[in-house]
Amino acid sequence: MSLANIFDNLKVIYHLVKPNKGKTHQERLENFYKEQAQYYDAFRKTLLKGREDLFESLVTDAEGIWIDMGGGTGANFECIAKQLNKFQKIYIVDLSTSLLEIAQQRIAKNKWNNVETIERDVTQFVPLEGAADVVTFSYSLSMMENWFEIIDRAYQLLKPGGVIGVVDFYVSRKHPEPDFVSHSWLTRNFWTIWFATDNVFLSPDRLAYLHYRFDKVTRIEKMAKLSFPPGFKAPYYLFIGRKN
Ligand SMILES: C[S@@+](CC[C@H](N)C(=O)[O-])C[C@H]1O[C@@H](n2cnc3c(N)ncnc32)[C@H](O)[C@@H]1O
């Protein structure tokens, strides 16, 4: 890693640990992201695991309308760039102006004519074209305050048979269902407190609610080795579900 890269990473780490203030959800998000937007993709590449797995799993059978909720810089679409043409429309919905600027540059550079950014709260977005085929949340649901309302909204936006894909940090319930992973007291409490500094709220109930709302296609629960804090492993899940 070059000296410039180390310096960029230190700038991102400074924003991860400094108190994040703002009166509204949008202000807090933008205060958090505006100074790190240009370094976001490089730093998150090693931090946010499973994103490529999710997008590659979803793209094979899908076409039509894809809504990426809290899609940020749109970097996740790079790994499936060759197959984007088959979609009628892809929406990247996000509240952070700075991250969406990076997404717009990416769209222009790659000439993705069917991809559009929407600066809006995900609860306020409805695609003009009608019901969606795919709705994704990549490390965004844990930053959304009314996540239960937002999962319900994703359900409403999907057409019957449409799929939801979520990848995110989480902690298990204290007494999970038998086929779910169980985390220790330390894991459940340490990561909940750690992520809350950045307004990332881990919930033991989100994965359970996704199972309740959708027919499970895939569920993976794993530990991701993080670049920050170095050497630590945080739990994350990947869920794909179908609207029945
Ligand atoms: C950790 S980032 C993930 C970005 C991207 N999905 C990725 O995989 O790199 C979380 C994103 O969710 C967005 N976000 C959080 N709450 C939101 C809301 N209520 N409406 C729209 N976007 C939201 C943030 O602005 C941010 O871009």
Side-chain angles (χ1 to χ4, degrees):
M1 193 187 280
S2 72
L3 209 57
N5 283 344
I6 293 172
F7 192 59
D8 291 347
N9 283 352
L10 286 175
K11 276 193 251 177
V12 175
I13 289 168
Y14 167 71
H15 290 289
L16 291 180
V17 296
K18 89 169 194 231
N20 178 13
K21 297 199 175 116
K23 284 202 187 81
T24 63
H25 184 50
Q26 183 166 26
E27 265 180 40
R28 287 189 289 276
L29 286 172
E30 192 49 12
N31 286 343
F32 182 58
Y33 285 120
K34 67 173 180 247
E35 302 294 336
Q36 47 163 319
Q38 57 178 307
Y39 315 111
Y40 178 93
D41 286 334
F43 191 85
R44 297 319 197 272
K45 200 166 179 55
T46 52
L47 186 71
L48 306 179
K49 300 280 194 309
R51 295 183 297 170
E52 294 190 355
D53 295 340
L54 177 68
F55 277 57
E56 283 166 2
S57 304
L58 291 172
V59 78
T60 318
D61 297 328
E63 50 187 22
I65 299 168
W66 183 326
I67 310 171
D68 192 21
M69 302 286 210
T73 64
N76 295 333
F77 288 106
E78 297 268 14
C79 67
I80 53 166
K82 288 197 181 122
Q83 296 169 80
L84 291 190
N85 272 345
K86 68 175 175 160
F87 290 91
Q88 182 189 351
K89 191 84 191 189
I90 295 172
Y91 288 104
I92 299 172
V93 185
D94 204 287
L95 267 175
S96 164
T97 316
S98 323
L99 294 185
L100 286 180
E101 275 168 16
I102 307 279
Q104 281 151 11
Q105 289 162 19
R106 172 168 278 120
I107 291 166
K109 190 182 100 200
N110 290 301
K111 300 191 176 58
W112 290 341
N113 299 325
N114 55 347
V115 185
E116 191 180 331
T117 62
I118 306 283
E119 186 176 325
R120 205 168 302 167
D121 191 288
V122 294
T123 56
Q124 305 301 314
F125 176 69
V126 181
L128 291 175
E129 293 81 0
D133 297 84
V134 184
V135 173
T136 42
F137 296 88
S138 162
Y139 289 93
S140 54
L141 205 49
S142 54
M143 292 188 90
M144 294 175 180
E145 289 167 335
N146 287 341
W147 56 266
F148 39 85
E149 176 194 344
I150 289 166
I151 293 174
D152 282 2
R153 182 136 191 96
Y155 186 89
Q156 285 160 12
L157 290 177
L158 279 167
K159 55 176 69 158
V163 288
I164 185 168
V166 184
V167 61
D168 216 332
F169 293 120
Y170 82 122
V171 287
S172 77
R173 284 179 162 176
K174 184 176 177 186
H175 304 294
E177 297 288 315
D179 60 331
F180 283 66
V181 169
S182 173
H183 298 140
S184 68
W185 177 89
L186 187 61
T187 299
R188 285 186 279 116
N189 289 288
F190 172 75
W191 289 113
T192 302
I193 295 167
W194 174 267
F195 280 110
T197 318
D198 290 333
N199 293 330
V200 174
F201 299 108
L202 306 193
S203 164
D205 295 325
R206 233 169 256 142
L207 187 54
Y209 192 59
L210 284 165
H211 276 80
Y212 168 74
R213 215 66 181 82
F214 295 89
D215 290 344
K216 183 196 85 174
V217 177
T218 308
R219 182 186 76 245
I220 295 167
E221 299 176 85
K222 278 190 175 174
M223 300 297 284
K225 196 167 171 202
L226 302 185
S227 49
F228 181 74
F232 279 65
K233 286 184 180 171
Y236 75 98
Y237 68 89
L238 185 158
F239 177 85
I240 298 176
R242 196 174 293 283
K243 175 172 176 172
N244 52 28

